[in-house]
Amino acid sequence: MSDTDETPRAGQALTGIRVLDLSRVLAGPWATQVLGDLGAEVIKIERPGAGDDTRGWGPPWLKDGEGRETGESAYFLAANRNKRSVSVDMAHPDGQALIRRLAQASDVVIENFKVGGLARYGLDHESLAALNPRLVYCSITGFGQDGPEAGRAGYDFMIQGMSGLMSVTGSPDAEPQKIGVALVDVLTGLNAAIAILAALQQRHGTGHGQRIDVALFDVAMASLANQALNYLVGGTSPRRLGNAHPNIVPYQAFETADGHLILAVGNDAQFARFCRLADFGDLAADPRFLTNAGRVAHRAELLPAVGAALKRQTTAEWLAMLDAAGIPAGPINTIAQAFAEPQALARGLALELPHVLGGIAPGVRSPLRLSDSPPGAPLAPPTLGQHTDEVLARILGVPQAERDRLRREGII
């Protein structure tokens, strides 16, 4: 969106909702990107001259139309499409006043400062709710607003370790591993977006907003899913199984004649069909392996036979046979190969967004497909302060002379 584009997008699910984004790095920006994809007007507040920390988290850097590096990091681009960037010095009283006025004109505020960090600026929930009782105020922290760890900073990597997620990730013979993406941050952003939508729906009936408390630690624990219940029901902490599944067999990566594939046998009928493909003979009728419970109990006896069978043919040959037999299986792609998959091409998952600095900003299409109010044509992530003048003039009516003063004094 250019500085002259003053009309928020229409016809989308969240058209008319304004989000004031005081967050940075990944979890908060991911939440507001989801809301922006759905049509909300997202105003991202950034520090003058510096901006979101992730703007400097490169290389790689976006290139302009001449092939020159712009200084816009790929990391920042990943979480900040469909937003307006407004540079405001939150530490200055005049900057705080501008943000309070924007909060009065907004439906949602999202922030990820330490507990109590915004109170000294008068930008905490109590201060802003007094000005705008309809405001939905979402706080994202490492450990939540209460409890003995509430004051601690929390980062995705350390939360993966503390939550137990790393204890079930990686080979049983190697050190615990983090996931290759900051997935706790991403999941926290998604949970925050869900909670915000629920609070907006609640507001329809009550007329009042509310406080939302989302913690990375809580999200990571909740996202352990079956592994959490394996412990709570079974009483024993799950262990690392590499690519194997704790509750389903065979459900893991296997070596083929020329590489690897993932075999994901989800039920007994699929296993019977696999036995026919693998020419297992008497093994197919072995009572130890007729049910999934039996296969889990006797995985050590079964898996060598499965592995030996898969090594007899290439990955492509096996994938063709397994697909024809209705047995879930797939390749282990690089990210480049994933974007080249026919399905990824057909669904248009790779985006090319015209950027204000020239050239094209790549992106990944939102996975949200709504039949009646789909996400519109996405907007490239903004440059730092790209929309400061437009937003302050359109929403707050700040005159040009006042904006010039604020700029001279480094407040915007």
Side-chain angles (χ1 to χ4, degrees):
M1 180 172 293
S2 70
D3 290 334
T4 58
D5 187 349
E6 300 183 0
T7 305
R9 294 165 295 157
Q12 296 175 254
L14 295 183
T15 295
I17 296 296
R18 180 175 292 142
V19 178
L20 184 60
D21 185 1
L22 307 183
S23 69
R24 66 270 192 222
V25 187
L26 187 53
W30 198 268
T32 53
Q33 179 169 262
V34 170
L35 300 175
D37 285 343
L38 293 172
E41 180 186 14
V42 179
I43 299 169
K44 182 178 180 70
I45 301 298
E46 301 191 73
R47 292 173 296 164
D52 190 310
D53 296 344
T54 62
R55 287 188 181 274
W57 288 8
W61 309 102
L62 177 69
K63 290 183 172 63
D64 65 16
E66 304 298 323
R68 297 168 299 199
E69 290 183 348
T70 63
E72 297 288 308
S73 74
Y75 200 117
F76 178 82
L77 298 177
N80 288 285
R81 66 175 172 264
N82 290 329
K83 300 180 185 181
R84 288 172 163 87
S85 173
V86 174
S87 59
V88 178
D89 182 2
M90 189 181 294
H92 193 282
D94 286 353
Q96 296 159 16
L98 289 173
I99 296 172
R100 280 192 288 270
R101 291 176 62 191
L102 286 170
Q104 287 181 277
S106 297
D107 300 280
V108 177
V109 166
I110 184 166
E111 56 91 8
N112 59 352
F113 286 73
K114 288 184 179 180
V115 172
L118 289 179
R120 68 179 184 271
Y121 302 133
L123 300 175
D124 55 306
H125 170 253
E126 289 72 17
S127 298
L128 296 186
L131 298 173
N132 179 1
R134 291 177 54 81
L135 191 66
V136 172
Y137 190 107
C138 179
S139 295
I140 296 177
T141 57
F143 296 95
Q145 298 295 309
D146 53 22
E149 309 289 346
R152 292 184 63 188
Y155 296 90
D156 178 279
F157 189 9
M158 62 179 282
I159 298 296
Q160 287 197 37
M162 290 185 68
S163 67
L165 183 58
M166 287 177 61
S167 76
V168 295
T169 305
S171 169
D173 301 320
E175 68 178 5
Q177 291 289 310
K178 68 178 179 66
I179 299 170
V181 174
L183 200 59
V184 173
D185 275 339
V186 171
L187 291 172
T188 299
L190 293 175
N191 277 276
I194 292 168
I196 288 167
L197 295 176
L200 289 172
Q201 173 62 24
Q202 174 78 3
R203 193 180 70 174
H204 286 314
T206 66
H208 294 280
Q210 59 182 293
R211 176 76 178 274
I212 298 170
D213 172 10
V214 182
L216 272 69
F217 185 69
D218 297 357
V219 169
M221 294 289 291
S223 300
L224 291 173
N226 61 300
Q227 291 285 45
L229 269 293
N230 286 342
Y231 163 69
L232 293 172
V233 172
T236 301
S237 288
R239 59 188 178 89
R240 294 192 302 282
L241 295 173
N243 289 316
H245 196 288
N247 304 109
I248 312 172
V249 173
Y251 195 102
Q252 64 188 76
F254 290 95
E255 188 177 353
T256 65
D258 65 345
H260 293 82
L261 61 74
I262 292 171
L263 178 66
V265 172
N267 57 50
D268 298 337
Q270 290 174 3
F271 182 71
R273 295 199 297 272
F274 174 73
C275 288
R276 291 193 289 272
L277 283 183
D279 194 22
F280 274 168
D282 292 341
L283 193 66
D286 191 316
R288 295 175 298 172
F289 308 134
L290 292 179
T291 67
N292 179 69
R295 294 191 294 276
V296 170
H298 298 283
R299 72 169 73 219
E301 298 94 331
L302 175 61
L303 291 180
V306 176
L310 289 172
K311 286 181 181 178
R312 294 199 297 261
Q313 292 176 276
T314 68
T315 297
E317 289 169 338
W318 269 115
L319 290 177
M321 291 190 299
L322 291 164
D323 183 61
I327 300 169
I332 301 175
N333 286 332
T334 65
I335 293 177
Q337 290 169 331
F339 275 110
E341 281 278 357
Q343 185 67 13
L345 297 174
R347 298 279 282 182
L349 300 188
L351 297 175
E352 293 186 348
L353 309 176
H355 196 272
V356 70
L357 296 179
I360 296 296
V364 182
R365 186 176 300 278
S366 168
L368 305 177
R369 310 285 177 114
L370 287 74
S371 63
D372 293 341
S373 54
L379 307 172
T383 56
L384 176 58
Q386 179 181 339
H387 305 95
T388 301
D389 282 302
E390 181 260 306
V391 167
L392 296 185
R394 174 172 56 87
I395 298 177
L396 302 184
V398 178
Q400 182 68 59
E402 177 65 5
R403 300 200 305 272
D404 290 342
R405 179 192 70 81
L406 294 170
R407 185 166 285 109
R408 285 195 305 272
E409 297 179 10
I411 298 168
I412 64 173

